[in-house]
Amino acid sequence: MSTAKGPLKGRAARLGRLMPSGPSTAARTPFVLLVVVLLGGGLISLLLLNSALNQGSFELNELKNRTTELTDEEQALQRDVDAYAAPDALERRARELGMVPGGSPAFLGPDGKVLGRPSAAPFPKPSPTPTASATTGAPPAATASPGPPTGTGTPAGTPATAGTGPTGTAGAPTASAPPATAPTTSGR
């Protein structure tokens, strides 16, 4: 390798003609600007992508929390439904409504033959009804009178006759209403 600067010969001379002889900064400037713009654009796009991913992550976290709350609420409601559908709860609610357990059922076979012997449902035990004196605090003499009720069409102090109905018309016999049948749990 020679340090002397002389004319190039052969192949080196041909290659030297292809290359510019002096330092050239004008061709390098657009390339450097292109690289800087590409790097800056890449960094900005990475920043925007990172921000979008973080926002999506926050939304996902909120949706997961909401899903957890709704799942807990659904489970609580299902527990309530299961508690109301339990046999003892249904029986208690039916008794509160005045229903009684049904008697023995009868079934119809495919040929139309009755299988079993149906029986009537038992009448419920009468529950003690509170008297007006216990609920309103009125004196007992004002709520229950052993004589005929007032306002039946007979003047005060006049005894009621045997054939007089509650409106004071003769000929209407007084009869007690027949006992009402108790509802059964079958709904019929």
Side-chain angles (χ1 to χ4, degrees):
M1 297 210 207
S2 66
T3 59
K5 295 238 179 188
L8 298 174
K9 297 182 184 169
R11 187 174 178 183
R14 286 191 308 252
L15 288 175
R17 279 184 252 146
L18 294 176
M19 301 280 289
S21 61
S24 158
T25 58
R28 220 179 263 178
T29 306
F31 177 72
V32 171
L33 284 176
L34 177 68
V35 169
V36 169
V37 167
L38 287 176
L39 286 176
L43 287 175
I44 290 173
S45 63
L46 281 176
L47 180 66
L48 292 175
L49 180 65
N50 191 17
S51 297
L53 288 176
N54 282 338
Q55 183 179 3
S57 174
F58 286 130
E59 289 177 8
L60 180 64
N61 192 19
E62 289 175 11
L63 290 174
K64 281 183 180 180
N65 289 340
R66 180 72 176 142
T67 302
T68 303
E69 290 172 7
L70 290 174
T71 302
D72 291 344
E73 184 179 350
E74 178 190 13
Q75 289 174 353
L77 291 173
Q78 187 62 45
R79 278 193 305 267
D80 290 345
V81 167
D82 291 342
Y84 287 129
D88 57 340
L90 287 175
E91 180 184 5
R92 185 184 74 248
R93 182 73 178 131
R95 288 197 188 278
E96 288 174 0
L97 293 173
M99 296 181 174
V100 295
S104 299
F107 299 97
L108 292 177
D111 57 352
K113 189 175 182 181
V114 177
L115 305 172
R117 293 188 152 217
S119 65
F123 285 106
K125 298 174 186 172
S127 62
T129 57
T131 61
S133 64
T135 58
T136 61
T143 58
S145 60
T150 60
T152 59
T154 58
T158 309
T161 59
T164 307
T167 58
T169 59
T174 58
S176 63
T181 57
T184 62
T185 56
S186 65
R188 292 187 231 156

